[in-house]
Amino acid sequence: MIIAAHQPNHLPNLGFFYKMMQVDRFVIFTNAQFSHGDGWVRRHKIKGPNKDIWLTVPVYSPRRDQNIRSVLIDNSHKWQHRHRKTLEMTYSRTSEQEALGRILDLYRQPFERL
C-alpha cells in the first residue's frame, strides 16, 4: 500500500491531484502549523493576460502555533466575489467552461476556515 500526505492548498495545482492519483491512500494533513509567510495554504497564483495574478484568502491573524485547520477566514473582505470576478475575466474565453463553472460554484459557498 502506498500512502501520501499533503498540506491543503488554496486551489491546488495539477501536481496535487497527480500525487493523489498515484497512491492507495491520500491524507490531507491539516494538523501542520500554519505558515505565517506567503505560503500556498491561503493563496494561489494564476496566469493573467499580462502578468501573474495572486488570489489570496484573507485570514484573521493566527497564533504562532496555530494549526491550518483552525485558521479563521476573515469574511469581512469580499474576497470570494473578487476571486470569482478575476477567474471569470481571466478564463471566460477558454474551452474549459464546465470546469470554470464548478470552480466558481465553490466560491459561492460560505467558508469559515481554511
Side-chain angles (χ1 to χ4, degrees):
M1 177 178 287
I2 301 172
I3 299 173
H6 200 90
Q7 288 180 223
N9 295 93
H10 178 62
L11 296 177
N13 64 26
L14 291 177
F16 179 91
F17 297 104
Y18 179 77
K19 181 179 179 180
M20 186 184 292
M21 290 173 41
Q22 301 304 307
V23 298
D24 300 307
R25 297 281 187 260
F26 188 78
V27 178
I28 297 178
F29 186 59
T30 59
N31 285 343
Q33 185 175 347
F34 178 75
S35 170
H36 292 270
D38 292 327
W40 295 96
V41 173
R42 68 182 195 116
R43 37 186 244 154
H44 188 81
K45 181 170 53 173
I46 63 171
K47 294 284 185 195
N50 301 316
K51 62 178 184 170
D52 291 340
I53 301 168
W54 285 98
L55 301 176
T56 303
V57 178
V59 297
Y60 289 106
S61 184
R63 298 183 323 267
R64 278 275 180 230
D65 60 345
Q66 193 165 3
N67 291 337
I68 293 168
R69 70 175 174 199
S70 63
V71 174
L72 295 174
I73 295 173
D74 183 354
N75 284 311
S76 67
H77 302 275
K78 295 186 179 208
W79 68 274
Q80 288 175 294
H81 176 75
R82 283 195 313 270
H83 286 201
R84 272 196 323 267
K85 290 299 178 193
T86 300
L87 290 166
E88 285 174 345
M89 289 187 322
T90 306
Y91 297 115
S92 63
R93 296 183 182 175
T94 67
S95 61
E96 297 298 331
Q97 293 305 303
E98 183 180 342
L100 177 61
R102 289 181 184 177
I103 292 169
L104 295 176
D105 284 345
L106 289 173
Y107 275 105
R108 289 182 177 87
Q109 298 178 30
F111 292 101
E112 293 180 10
R113 299 178 189 278
L114 287 177

